[in-house]
Amino acid sequence: MSTNLEGSYTLLKLEISSGNDTIDLRSMFVDFTLYESIWENFIVGAISVIDSFDLKTVMPIVGGEDIRISFHTSGMEDYPIEFVGKVYSVSSPTKIN
């Protein structure tokens, strides 16, 4: 018997792409949040990553890059939720001690 915790999900894809370069962020992300409003015709999200690979040297993220997220919630494995969007802004890095 498996336990399905409320709010649990399986992350299938978390990628950022620019031109021909694609980076899988699943091993680097701390969290991601998607916000949907009945008052707006777009979805807003935020992704936090721990950058141990020095991403800016591999693929500078300045805005305009493609983001692809795919996940399913517990019990809904046959119905993944897929999101495709663009990077709008990038926050300044924060050092973790």
Side-chain angles (χ1 to χ4, degrees), residues 62-65 86-90:
V62 295
E65 297 81 13
K86 293 275 189 188
V87 173
Y88 176 74
S89 67
V90 180

Side-chain angles (χ1 to χ4, degrees), residues 25-85:
L25 298 175
R26 288 179 297 173
S27 64
M28 295 180 262
F29 93 102
V30 177
D31 67 2
F32 75 90
T33 307
L34 296 176
Y35 302 98
E36 187 174 21
S37 169
I38 62 172
W39 309 112
E40 305 292 343
N41 60 355
F42 52 85
I43 296 174
V44 176
I47 300 172
S48 298
V49 298
I50 294 178
D51 183 9
S52 58
F53 299 106
D54 199 17
L55 284 174
K56 66 183 176 207
T57 62
V58 177
M59 181 175 63
I61 302 171
V62 295
E65 297 81 13
D66 295 320
I67 292 284
R68 289 179 186 79
I69 302 171
S70 178
F71 64 96
H72 66 75
T73 56
S74 240
M76 299 297 286
E77 291 80 4
D78 293 337
Y79 304 97
I81 298 168
E82 297 186 5
F83 173 80
V84 178

